[in-house]
Amino acid sequence: SRISSISGDSLIWQIAAIDAGAQDSITVNVQLAANVPPTLTELISFANFIADNDTTLANNSDSDTLRVISQPPPLGITDLAFSLNSQTQVAGEARTGEAFSYNLRLSNIGANAAQNIRVAQILPDSVRFLSSSRISSISGDSLIWQIAAIAAGGEDSITVDVQLAANVPPALTQLISFANFTADNDTTLANNFDTDTLRVISQPPPPGITDLAFSLNSQTQVAGEARTGEAFSYHIKLNNVGPNAAQNIRVAQILPDSVRFLSSSQISSISGDSLIWQIAAIAAGAQDSITVNVQLATNLPPSLTQLISFANFTADNDTTLANNSDSDTLRVISQPPPPIVPPQITATPPMVQVGDSVFIRVQVEQAIQKWDLWVYFVTGAIDSSFADGFIAGTPLTPKIWYDVHPAFSETRLLTQAQQERIEFELRTIDLFGRPASTRANVTVRAGNALVLDRNVYEAERQGPLAIKFRLSSNRVARLDLLDLNGQKVTEIIQAPFSAGWNTHFWNGFTQDGRRVGSGVYVVTLHSQDFNDWKKVIVVR
């Protein structure tokens, strides 16, 4: 139900904040494979969370267990035959540094279309994915494709372009890649997977080899120390100390636990806990650098006393591996956050009549990450959505007053009292995840009134007469037209109206459609214990 990232078999979500007393939820839609191993009798899913300022860990995780019920395959079963074959310069051999391809082929040899096909390939160690003939997702070392259907007698194929590293461990003598697939209505499992094995041929490095020197260093407020809640940076530097340009450089950094990535000076991709950058080339004698901005969480496990970050790189023609990696270690200093300074709020005027507007101003004294306005009524009702649009588009800078738009206009009496208090609460969450709040209040007084937009109503030459009236609460009101003897000429309207100002337009006719003749009349208003009247002259 909300965007997630995928790391291996895990789904990961980021939620900025959840207010005190509030809740949030995520719905995950999944599907159990049509064919499962006989030993799979239970599905156990585990989920947990961390929050910067949640220190009660006992209820931070949960699991769900389902019993697996194997059911007969759906109607229209079929059979896909699967094959995986590599294509290299020399059949059966892959040379270090060589780019080659894998070909995955699915042939539907069954009687019906194959539905909802999921293909997965595990790449061997030291083999780098370059591209594929159709869009894939990546989960760990696996490439995954989704194919909607393959017709009976049809086939489909995927080409995967990869490259073997220029430098491989001496123990790596074979590249074994495994691929398989599942389909909702393929129940013949014997031909649903295949493997491909290549012999590794180590060849001398290409001409123009070079040497990149690599370093990773952090920059904190105090050298060698990182304080809880502190934003700091890592500096990655690559110096080409060799005689030739370095080509096709891939840099990776693993961030420590409880360190949140903020930004970097070069565009990166994220894979699990790793940041990855691609650099096309660095000339001989030149250098390149990457700055990574991060922040240490404000609340850390007591056992976390060091932040160790590791970074390395590979380059096609760098064969000196001793200086291709580096690490940085920081001592964790847990420090108390600064005292909370409550925010400020004003509500003016302090006393209003029903239907009048209230003007809200807010100010914070410290940097915050989130703020909200809540309105409390005497009945216990709470409006937490007031000015949400303004709040979403207005980050609060400390020491500056902000006028909240629009003004609050829901001033009405909700009980039988002649006046009620409405409270406005400014709620904030600071950079350390700590809540703070301040309230201001106004008094709403009963206000009833009756006003006509003119004293002389020329019915044939003017638009309808506007009868305006204000009620102190939501209730029924009746408007009558009387002559000067107090006799009712007609009932103009009787209906429920909202608290505050209302307008009813009278066209000069009685309820049964007769024209009211020229003369002096009285418009009366009756609503509970409020009665009022206004004189009007009708001219025909």
Side-chain angles (χ1 to χ4, degrees):
S1 58
R2 62 202 308 163
I3 296 172
S4 67
S5 60
I6 300 176
S7 176
D9 293 330
S10 299
L11 303 175
I12 300 171
W13 296 269
Q14 295 285 343
I15 300 174
I18 300 176
D19 290 334
Q23 64 180 16
D24 205 339
S25 64
I26 301 169
T27 300
V28 184
N29 301 310
V30 297
Q31 184 177 28
L32 179 60
N35 299 296
V36 299
T39 55
L40 184 63
T41 58
E42 288 186 323
L43 300 179
I44 303 175
S45 181
F46 176 81
N48 68 349
F49 78 91
I50 55 172
D52 283 351
N53 57 333
D54 185 337
T55 57
T56 306
L57 305 183
N59 57 353
N60 285 26
S61 62
D62 198 7
S63 63
D64 180 87
T65 301
L66 291 171
R67 187 158 58 95
V68 174
I69 305 297
S70 294
Q71 55 187 356
L75 296 176
I77 62 175
T78 194
D79 181 22
L80 284 178
F82 185 71
S83 66
L84 169 66
N85 297 288
S86 58
Q87 184 174 345
T88 55
Q89 296 174 17
V90 177
E93 296 180 351
R95 284 164 166 70
T96 51
E98 178 184 352
F100 62 98
S101 61
Y102 288 105
N103 296 315
L104 294 80
R105 185 177 297 275
L106 298 96
S107 300
N108 190 344
I109 58 177
N112 297 285
Q115 304 288 339
N116 193 22
I117 305 153
R118 179 184 184 273
V119 181
Q121 180 187 11
I122 300 175
L123 295 180
D125 291 339
S126 298
V127 170
R128 181 166 64 96
F129 171 71
L130 299 177
S131 64
S132 67
S133 58
R134 60 199 310 158
I135 296 174
S136 66
S137 60
I138 301 175
S139 176
D141 294 331
S142 298
L143 305 175
I144 299 170
W145 297 269
Q146 294 286 345
I147 300 174
I150 300 176
E155 62 179 30
D156 205 338
S157 63
I158 302 170
T159 300
V160 183
D161 298 315
V162 296
Q163 185 176 29
L164 180 58
N167 299 293
V168 299
L172 185 64
T173 59
Q174 286 186 325
L175 301 179
I176 302 175
S177 181
F178 175 83
N180 69 345
F181 78 89
T182 60
D184 281 354
N185 58 333
D186 185 335
T187 58
T188 305
L189 306 183
N191 56 355
N192 285 25
F193 63 92
D194 199 7
T195 61
D196 181 271
T197 302
L198 291 170
R199 188 158 58 94
V200 174
I201 305 297
S202 295
Q203 53 188 359
I209 62 174
T210 196
D211 182 21
L212 284 178
F214 185 74
S215 66
L216 170 67
N217 296 287
S218 57
Q219 183 174 343
T220 54
Q221 296 174 17
V222 178
E225 297 180 351
R227 284 161 168 70
T228 50
E230 178 184 353
F232 63 97
S233 59
Y234 288 105
H235 296 284
I236 299 171
K237 185 169 291 189
L238 297 98
N239 290 304
N240 191 343
V241 297
N244 297 289
Q247 304 289 339
N248 193 22
I249 305 150
R250 180 182 183 273
V251 181
Q253 179 188 11
I254 301 175
L255 293 180
D257 290 340
S258 298
V259 170
R260 180 168 64 97
F261 170 72
L262 299 177
S263 64
S264 66
S265 58
Q266 298 194 37
I267 296 175
S268 66
S269 59
I270 300 177
S271 176
D273 293 332
S274 297
L275 305 174
I276 299 170
W277 298 268
Q278 295 286 346
I279 301 174
I282 300 176
Q287 64 179 22
D288 203 341
S289 62
I290 302 169
T291 299
V292 184
N293 300 309
V294 297
Q295 184 177 28
L296 180 58
T298 55
N299 296 296
L300 306 177
S303 58
L304 186 62
T305 58
Q306 287 186 324
L307 302 178
I308 303 176
S309 182
F310 177 80
N312 68 350
F313 78 90
T314 59
D316 283 354
N317 58 332
D318 184 336
T319 58
T320 306
L321 306 183
N323 57 356
N324 285 25
S325 63
D326 198 9
S327 64
D328 179 271
T329 301
L330 290 170
R331 187 158 59 96
V332 173
I333 305 296
S334 294
Q335 56 182 5
I340 297 176
V341 180
Q344 298 185 59
I345 181 172
T346 65
T348 56
M351 184 169 292
V352 297
Q353 288 191 326
V354 170
D356 291 345
S357 294
V358 178
F359 301 94
I360 308 298
R361 303 187 77 210
V362 296
Q363 177 181 271
V364 295
E365 301 298 317
Q366 298 171 316
I368 62 170
Q369 58 175 300
K370 186 178 181 181
W371 70 286
D372 201 0
L373 284 170
W374 285 26
V375 186
Y376 297 83
F377 301 95
V378 293
T379 58
I382 299 174
D383 178 4
S384 61
S385 62
F386 169 54
D388 274 357
F390 178 80
I391 294 168
T394 311
L396 300 185
T397 301
K399 310 295 185 182
I400 296 177
W401 281 99
Y402 291 84
D403 294 304
V404 177
H405 300 290
F408 183 78
S409 59
E410 292 297 312
T411 49
R412 61 186 186 274
L413 297 181
L414 303 178
T415 68
Q416 298 301 314
Q418 292 300 300
Q419 66 179 38
E420 296 172 0
R421 191 168 72 170
I422 299 178
E423 290 191 318
F424 300 87
E425 182 180 49
L426 171 58
R427 304 160 62 96
T428 61
I429 302 292
D430 69 9
L431 298 181
F432 295 88
R434 299 174 300 174
S437 63
T438 304
R439 291 192 182 190
N441 62 79
V442 300
T443 299
V444 181
R445 300 183 64 179
N448 299 288
L450 173 64
V451 178
L452 303 182
D453 71 338
R454 71 203 89 160
N455 294 324
V456 178
Y457 176 34
E458 300 181 47
E460 276 73 29
R461 290 188 293 275
Q462 297 175 339
L465 176 68
I467 305 171
K468 300 174 64 176
F469 55 96
R470 178 166 61 185
L471 301 178
S472 61
S473 62
N474 299 334
R475 61 182 189 261
V476 172
R478 189 181 83 244
L479 293 171
D480 290 328
L481 184 72
L482 309 180
D483 62 21
L484 288 181
N485 295 320
Q487 298 299 312
K488 181 189 289 188
V489 176
T490 185
E491 180 182 290
I492 297 174
I493 188 172
Q494 178 171 283
F497 289 93
S498 300
W501 282 104
N502 298 272
T503 301
H504 180 75
F505 294 96
W506 180 57
N507 62 3
F509 287 80
T510 63
Q511 280 192 330
D512 57 5
R514 293 179 293 110
R515 291 198 313 170
V516 173
S518 298
V520 181
Y521 297 90
V522 176
V523 176
T524 63
L525 171 67
H526 304 280
S527 181
Q528 290 184 354
D529 58 352
F530 174 61
N531 300 284
D532 201 358
W533 62 272
K534 290 290 181 288
K535 186 184 296 184
V536 62
I537 300 173
V538 176
V539 178
R540 290 291 183 183

